[in-house]
């Protein structure tokens, strides 16, 4: 959530509305776990449908990407803004205290499995093996070790993939993209429902309001309101790249 100049108490009767256009926002503290290559950071992955943006708020680091541009490294510092479109493999590297706001398109789809991690190909080729590798245990005390093991497994596949992209160019991403497509294909019917409720509903509401204004009807303006969000209770979530903070109504 964006900050408010004059915050007031949240209304208990209002749920937190969706961001305009069906986007979502979370706050991320990037893992400081060192990987086999000596860099500390998160789990390399791609998104199959959602564009993602980072707005850096603290610390420093880098984001390593594999895309149609090949292998690329972009420095991150407070004020940095970086976008990636679907299919871009990205890995956050933490040089110290790296924190950022994450803005995602298609709210609800990333949480429903839009991301695919860069595990070795034999794991990506087996949906059940992938499910086991990506799932974290329910017990909070076991999650840190499982999240780190998941990151390390994804780094194995990422190292192979990066070497292939350096040698062969972006065409080396073709097998990963095919594996990712096969992994998410069974989820599409459920995703359509999420998309309709979150993204299409936002667009429908805006279109109806625009039609009303064109007809000289601004009655929706009378329902203008302020809704404050509160940090989600409990410990931060164990995300792919770090500890995530979200908000509730």
């Amino acid at each position: 959530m964006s900050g408010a100049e004059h915050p007031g108490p949240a209304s208990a009767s209002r749920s937190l509305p969706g961001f305009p256009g069906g986007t979502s926002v979370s706050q991320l503290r990037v893992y400081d776990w060192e990987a086999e290559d000596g860099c500390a950071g998160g789990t390399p992955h791609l998104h199959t449908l959602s564009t993602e943006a980072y707005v850096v708020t603290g610390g420093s680091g880098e984001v390593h990407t594999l895309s149609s541009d090949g292998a690329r490294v972009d420095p991150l510092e407070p004020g940095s803004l970086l976008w990636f479109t679907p299919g871009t493999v990205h890995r956050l590297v933490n040089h110290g205290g790296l924190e950022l706001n994450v803005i995602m398109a298609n709210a609800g789809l990333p949480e429903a499995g839009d991301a695919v991690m860069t595990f070795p190909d034999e794991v990506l080729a087996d949906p059940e093996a992938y499910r086991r590798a990506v799932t974290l245990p329910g017990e909070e005390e076991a999650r840190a070790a499982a999240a780190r093991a998941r990151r390390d497994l994804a780094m194995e596949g990422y190292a192979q993939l990066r070497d292939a992209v350096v040698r062969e160019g972006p065409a080396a991403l073709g097998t990963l993209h095919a594996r990712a497509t096969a992994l998410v294909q069974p989820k599409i019917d459920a995703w359509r429902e999420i998309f309709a409720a979150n993204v299409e509903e936002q667009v429908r509401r805006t279109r109806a309001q625009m039609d009303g204004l064109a007809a000289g009807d601004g009655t929706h303006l009378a329902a203008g309101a302020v809704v404050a969000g509160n940090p989600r209770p409990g410990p931060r979530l164990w995300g792919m790249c770090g500890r995530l903070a979200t908000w509730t109504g």
Side-chain angles (χ1 to χ4, degrees), residues 26-30 92 98-100 102 241-244:
S26 56
Q27 201 277 339
L28 178 68
R29 291 178 183 166
V30 180
L92 275 169
L98 184 59
E99 297 194 15
L100 43 89
V102 180
C241 294
R243 302 300 302 273
L244 282 167

Side-chain angles (χ1 to χ4, degrees), residues 92-173:
L92 275 169
V93 172
N94 187 355
H95 291 168
L98 184 59
E99 297 194 15
L100 43 89
N101 291 329
V102 180
I103 303 169
M104 294 292 309
N106 303 324
L109 294 189
E111 297 83 353
D114 166 56
V116 172
M117 301 184 196
T118 59
F119 297 139
D121 188 63
E122 61 270 20
V123 178
L124 294 174
D126 182 341
E128 180 57 27
Y130 182 87
R131 185 195 65 78
R132 290 195 303 269
V134 79
T135 302
L136 298 181
E139 304 80 15
E140 177 65 22
E141 58 271 16
R143 289 192 156 216
R148 186 164 185 167
R150 181 175 70 176
R151 190 280 309 269
D152 291 343
L153 183 62
M155 280 298 302
E156 288 184 31
Y158 174 80
Q160 298 167 4
L161 190 64
R162 187 183 186 284
D163 288 346
V165 169
V166 170
R167 286 194 315 269
E168 306 164 24
L173 295 169

Side-chain angles (χ1 to χ4, degrees), residues 202-225:
Q202 290 277 354
V203 174
R204 184 206 63 77
R205 185 179 300 114
T206 300
R207 182 180 292 115
Q209 292 170 350
M210 189 181 298
D211 290 344
L213 291 171
D217 178 4
T219 54
H220 68 279
L221 301 177

Side-chain angles (χ1 to χ4, degrees), residues 53-57 59 61 74-82 98 100-101:
Y54 293 155
V55 182
V56 181
T57 57
D74 286 274
L76 298 176
E77 60 184 15
S80 296
L81 169 66
L82 203 67
L98 184 59
L100 43 89
N101 291 329

